[in-house]
Amino acid sequence: MRNIYADNSATTALSPVVLEKMMPYLTEVYGNPSSLYRIGGAAKEAVEKSRENIAKNLGAKFPNEIFFTSGGSESDNWALKGVCHALKAKGKNHIITSKFEHHAILHTCESLEKEGFEVTYLDVYENGIVHPEDVENAIKENTAIVSIMYANNEIGTIQPISEIGAICKKHGVLFHTDAVQAAGFVKINVTEQNIDLLSMTAHKIHGPKGCGLLYVRRGVKIENLIDGGAQERGRRAGTENVAGIVGLDAALQLAIDTMSERNAKLTKMRDRLIDGLLKIERSRINGDRVHRLPGNVNMCFEGIEGESLLLRLDLNGISASSGSACTSGSLDPSHVLLAIGLPHEIAHGSMRLSFSDGTTEEDIDYILEVVPKIVDYLRAMSPLWEKIKKDEAAQNA
Amino acid sequence: MAYSEKVMDHFANPRNVGEIENADGIGEVGNSKCGDIMKMYIKVEDDIITDVKFKTFGCGAAIATSSMATEMIKGKSINDALKLTNKAVMEALDGLPPVKVHCSVLAEQAIKAAISDYYQKMGIDPDPIVGCVPECDDCGCH
């Protein structure tokens, strides 16, 4: 049996190239970067070199606009809570975000709502894309920050970040983007795109888990989330994850160096897979077909339930997910699919496949062979499918 | 969330899948909005459930509990089948993750709904015997 890992939006395999760069900092250079002696200094140097290179790769003006964190969730929490708490005194207590953000944003917004902040959740329409004019219309006197993800984690739709950045700049409102899924797949330049804060993480781009960053434009007022030592210039306490930081830098560099070739290859495979799977009756592709991440396929098959589809894919050697890995274990269908207007019963039958550089055309052939069989099998035992077909026959009669 | 080997076995190779033509009782519970529907067919001779089949739209646990429940009542008297609890189905599957307990409740309800239907077809009021079959109200997704 083939084994195909098709859940790269959940996490990716650590690249051997990245691991090699990290190894010295997991072995001989174990010093604490805050220490005075030489192996501390060597670790510090590695952290600062990584910061410089990452800043360059994201288009930041200054290396010290990059703050290392434990990953995307921390960065998202820090961006919103830090900015809102800092701007509260100025009477800015309004946040604009979208309905289909990652829970790291949505649950942070809910927490801020409990503190008294007001949140506007923008519609994402049927194609899963925020309309920049909706952002502009939602901005008020008291708006502190706009937070719109760069690319959605479930349906992979890429948002008009430059347009939203320009609008925020025009109105003097801060703009944060969660670029956890987009980094390494789209060209990002925080300065040109008027992004004030940006979250990203290493493990979605073949880097290690447990290391991410928050870009904070110089001059942006932000309160600390984690207090303690003086690391990250007193803004984020905790001994630096030196190997993780080196890995984050190496992973981003690798992703940028291989971007155009990889995107071209993945887009071709993605489109072939979507076309093939759409031949299954009563199937649909979720989210805009063009403005989406090159490795993302998210589909619904009516009459079947997503988890049983995923378990059967797993029995056939294919690792996939039905949305966000963070929500499996919950009975509610994906908030992303509900946000693009799918009814509950269709949203229950979703499947997300997300690919990486390692994916081959043979993998796509195999998926195209297996998925229709599983869908047929599950539909044959589904009373819901029986009803759908009966209603269809009655309509045609 | 991990399923036991028994759950995976009943999910991967479900027993008694299908329909019974001219079934003596058919019960359907759950709804598509919650993400699971179970439909049970029974054949009854002299108060014994001689055959049982099911069709399920739902997650791995929903399919596995349907399969296990049909195995547990096949060949049993109606009285014994009515005594089958969701707990017994869960135990037979070596447990279910907490969020999936409602699937076993659904399996118990599907059997009761099929037996109710059987009594109704016989012209007997099922309520005093079967009791009320509650609507799915614990999936928490309304």
Side-chain angles (χ1 to χ4, degrees), chain A residues 80 84 88 91-97 108-121 138-146:
Chain A
L80 292 191
C84 286
K88 199 174 158 188
K92 304 258 183 196
N93 59 359
H94 176 229
I95 305 161
I96 299 169
T97 187
T108 299
C109 284
E110 282 168 28
S111 156
L112 287 164
E113 278 178 304
K114 281 185 197 142
E115 288 181 39
F117 289 91
E118 182 198 342
V119 184
T120 301
Y121 298 93
I139 292 175
K140 305 192 288 184
E141 266 305 281
N142 62 339
T143 303
I145 189 166
V146 172

Side-chain angles (χ1 to χ4, degrees), chain A residues 303-309 311-312 314-315 328-333 344-345 348-349 377-387 390, chain B residues 1 3 8 11-14 17 19 28 32-35 37-39 41 54-61 63 99-100 102 139-141:
Chain A
I304 64 171
E305 195 277 338
E307 190 201 274
S308 43
L309 172 61
L311 290 170
R312 289 223 160 252
D314 187 35
L315 291 173
S328 62
S330 139
L331 301 173
D332 290 338
H344 274 69
E345 56 269 31
H348 274 299
Y377 175 86
L378 290 172
R379 279 176 173 174
M381 67 188 291
S382 164
L384 179 59
W385 182 246
E386 186 186 312
K387 189 179 168 296
K390 247 185 217 158
Chain B
M1 187 189 69
Y3 286 133
M8 280 312 293
F11 169 75
N13 311 292
V17 176
E19 297 170 24
E28 187 178 306
S32 59
K33 204 182 162 209
C34 294
I37 304 174
M38 280 184 202
K39 197 168 179 181
Y41 301 77
F54 81 91
K55 282 177 97 173
T56 290
F57 157 77
C59 63
I63 290 170
V99 291
K100 300 294 186 183
H102 78 283
C139 74
C141 64

Side-chain angles (χ1 to χ4, degrees), chain A residues 223-387:
Chain A
E223 280 193 8
N224 289 357
L225 186 70
I226 296 177
D227 290 312
Q231 291 88 0
E232 302 295 288
R233 299 189 334 285
R235 308 314 303 270
R236 197 279 188 184
T239 300
E240 296 87 342
N241 176 0
V242 179
I245 290 166
V246 169
L248 169 61
D249 175 32
L252 182 62
Q253 188 63 57
L254 185 67
I256 289 172
D257 291 345
T258 57
M259 191 188 300
S260 57
E261 204 179 319
R262 172 168 33 93
N263 282 359
K265 177 186 130 179
L266 286 178
T267 303
K268 197 171 140 254
M269 290 199 291
R270 174 197 75 188
D271 291 343
R272 182 163 80 89
L273 183 58
I274 293 173
D275 287 336
L277 292 178
L278 280 175
K279 289 186 187 139
I280 296 173
E281 69 171 313
R282 288 185 179 268
S283 62
R284 54 164 285 149
I285 173 84
N286 298 314
D288 196 279
R289 269 204 72 164
V290 179
H291 300 285
R292 75 189 293 133
L293 291 173
N296 176 291
V297 173
N298 187 309
M299 309 215 22
C300 281
F301 305 101
E302 283 184 49
I304 64 171
E305 195 277 338
E307 190 201 274
S308 43
L309 172 61
L310 297 190
L311 290 170
R312 289 223 160 252
L313 284 171
D314 187 35
L315 291 173
N316 284 281
I318 302 168
S319 309
S321 85
S322 69
S324 158
C326 321
T327 50
S328 62
S330 139
L331 301 173
D332 290 338
S334 140
H335 73 285
V336 172
L337 298 182
L338 296 180
I340 61 167
L342 294 193
H344 274 69
E345 56 269 31
I346 295 179
H348 274 299
S350 75
M351 168 187 82
R352 178 187 73 180
L353 300 167
S354 45
F355 302 109
S356 77
D357 229 354
T359 312
T360 64
E361 293 286 353
E362 288 73 31
D363 291 340
I364 303 297
D365 291 338
Y366 180 69
I367 295 168
L368 280 170
E369 181 194 319
V370 168
V371 173
K373 283 186 198 157
I374 296 175
V375 171
D376 278 350
Y377 175 86
L378 290 172
R379 279 176 173 174
M381 67 188 291
S382 164
L384 179 59
W385 182 246
E386 186 186 312
K387 189 179 168 296

Side-chain angles (χ1 to χ4, degrees), chain A residues 5-181:
Chain A
Y5 182 72
D7 203 14
N8 288 277
S9 291
T11 194
T12 57
L14 184 65
S15 149
V17 180
V18 174
L19 177 62
E20 203 189 322
K21 297 229 163 104
M22 290 170 67
M23 272 316 263
Y25 303 96
L26 291 165
T27 52
E28 59 266 31
V29 193
Y30 52 79
N32 189 318
S34 303
S35 306
L36 285 174
Y37 38 73
R38 268 168 295 167
I39 62 167
K44 174 91 182 154
E45 198 185 311
V47 169
E48 295 315 317
K49 257 193 175 162
S50 297
R51 195 189 311 277
E52 235 169 82
N53 194 47
I54 290 170
K56 198 185 78 205
N57 275 330
L58 292 178
K61 278 191 186 147
F62 309 101
N64 63 17
E65 292 175 318
I66 305 294
F67 295 90
F68 295 113
T69 66
S70 63
S73 291
E74 184 191 328
S75 298
D76 285 348
N77 269 266
W78 186 18
L80 292 191
K81 289 176 183 165
V83 163
C84 286
H85 291 153
L87 294 183
K88 199 174 158 188
K90 286 189 176 169
K92 304 258 183 196
N93 59 359
H94 176 229
I95 305 161
I96 299 169
T97 187
S98 81
K99 285 180 184 166
F100 79 161
E101 297 294 310
H102 190 273
H103 283 133
I105 291 292
L106 290 179
H107 289 167
T108 299
C109 284
E110 282 168 28
S111 156
L112 287 164
E113 278 178 304
K114 281 185 197 142
E115 288 181 39
F117 289 91
E118 182 198 342
V119 184
T120 301
Y121 298 93
L122 297 178
D123 205 348
V124 294
Y125 301 92
E126 209 189 311
N127 63 349
I129 293 180
V130 171
H131 289 187
E133 58 270 29
D134 289 352
V135 175
E136 186 151 35
N137 292 334
I139 292 175
K140 305 192 288 184
E141 266 305 281
N142 62 339
T143 303
I145 189 166
V146 172
S147 179
I148 301 291
M149 67 202 321
Y150 210 125
N152 182 268
N153 53 308
E154 290 188 28
I155 58 175
T157 50
I158 298 169
Q159 306 304 309
I161 292 303
S162 300
E163 287 88 328
I164 297 170
I167 287 167
C168 291
K169 191 184 180 194
K170 184 175 129 196
H171 293 271
V173 170
L174 292 175
F175 177 40
H176 166 254
T177 186
D178 171 347
V180 162
Q181 295 289 340

Side-chain angles (χ1 to χ4, degrees), chain B residues 96-114:
Chain B
L96 284 175
V99 291
K100 300 294 186 183
V101 172
H102 78 283
C103 294
S104 64
V105 176
L106 220 52
E108 181 194 319
Q109 288 172 352
I111 291 169
K112 292 195 166 133

Side-chain angles (χ1 to χ4, degrees), chain B residues 39-58:
Chain B
K39 197 168 179 181
M40 270 290 164
Y41 301 77
I42 53 170
K43 198 86 194 155
V44 182
E45 270 167 52
D46 301 328
D47 258 14
I48 301 291
I49 297 172
T50 54
D51 198 8
V52 51
K53 292 258 194 272
F54 81 91
K55 282 177 97 173
T56 290
F57 157 77

